[in-house]
Amino acid sequence: MQGTLKSTYVVLFALLFFFLTIGFFFNSSKQWLQELPLDLAAEIMGILLVVFSIDLVLDAEKEKERQRREIVAFQQLRRPLERHFLLLFSLFKAAVAGKPEKIYQDVTDFFDDYYYEQIAFLDFSKKVSMLKFGEMTWSSYISWECWQLHESLNRTVEKYALFLEPEAITLIEELNNSPFIWLTLQSARMYQLEKALPQQNNESLFLDQIDALAHQEIRNIIREHIILFLGLIAVYNQKVSQGDRLQLTSELWSEASTPPLGSGRLGVQ
């Protein structure tokens, strides 16, 4: 359609230039013959206005459809983004000794310096209870949820790339290829390798040390990942309706929700 309209513009502008040139430089003793090229040029200008109007309408409809598909694409990400936020929040809830006095009003409020200080106390040797999968290690839980996010982002880009803005695609790809995602996915593969190979030394191949998040380098990787994640949440909240936006709920700190407060903290039985 765009190629057809472009060709139409080229032909019409060429004819307009042709008839205007004849009208201004062609001399004839007959008035009707003298005025004919200018009359034809005027008709062509009218046709150009009609074609231009049609072009605007088509572009508007195309953009409207793109935006509709874009909203659908982001709505597909609602559940994966919610789950990933719950993962990141769970690291904090399980590691912190008690509920902070700070009032959290927005998703971004959680990820301050205190957050990164507290997740350093997470004990990776402890279990986290998942309603669907039962108990699993923190390493397995993190790897599983990161894999879920990784696959969801891949599917969204593959299916809706034509309808997403370039900035959104770039942000999704940066998040999906963040060092934290790479580390967790590779750790899961290394864990399988560790189980298959005989133990060569006392150093585990899998990122499963008790105090894995106590390493500043790992927390820096998580911080970089969370910055990208919050950037995607901001774009998501801009694109979807008010009712579909990611918001905090009172259930996060509930004693009935998993994990229990401080249950994964080092030194806590």
Side-chain angles (χ1 to χ4, degrees), residues 107-124:
V107 171
T108 59
D109 292 342
F110 281 105
F111 305 106
D112 53 13
D113 290 339
Y114 186 67
Y115 173 89
Y116 297 102
E117 291 172 4
Q118 292 304 307
I119 63 174
F121 293 100
L122 184 65
D123 186 344
F124 268 54

Side-chain angles (χ1 to χ4, degrees), residues 28 38 45 64 89 105 122 127 149 209 226-227 248:
S28 175
L38 296 178
M45 291 180 66
K64 184 178 179 180
F89 170 75
Q105 298 180 336
L122 184 65
K127 304 284 186 177
L149 178 67
Q209 294 88 356
I226 288 176
I227 290 173
L248 301 181

Side-chain angles (χ1 to χ4, degrees), residues 211-250:
D211 59 346
L213 299 185
H215 302 283
Q216 184 64 50
E217 296 83 0
I218 300 298
R219 295 204 304 280
N220 288 342
I221 288 175
I222 294 177
R223 184 189 293 267
E224 178 184 340
H225 172 79
I226 288 176
I227 290 173
L228 293 171
F229 177 65
L230 293 179
L232 183 56
I233 286 182
V235 175
Y236 169 87
N237 284 340
Q238 289 175 358
K239 299 296 182 181
V240 300
S241 63
Q242 179 72 33
D244 288 330
R245 293 176 183 174
L246 294 183
Q247 299 176 346
L248 301 181
T249 65
S250 58

Side-chain angles (χ1 to χ4, degrees), residues 29 34 47 51 65 76 89 110 118 148 184 193 204 215 260:
S29 58
Q34 181 69 39
I47 295 172
V51 173
E65 177 64 14
Q76 301 295 311
F89 170 75
F110 281 105
Q118 292 304 307
Q148 289 285 320
T184 54
L193 182 62
S204 175
H215 302 283

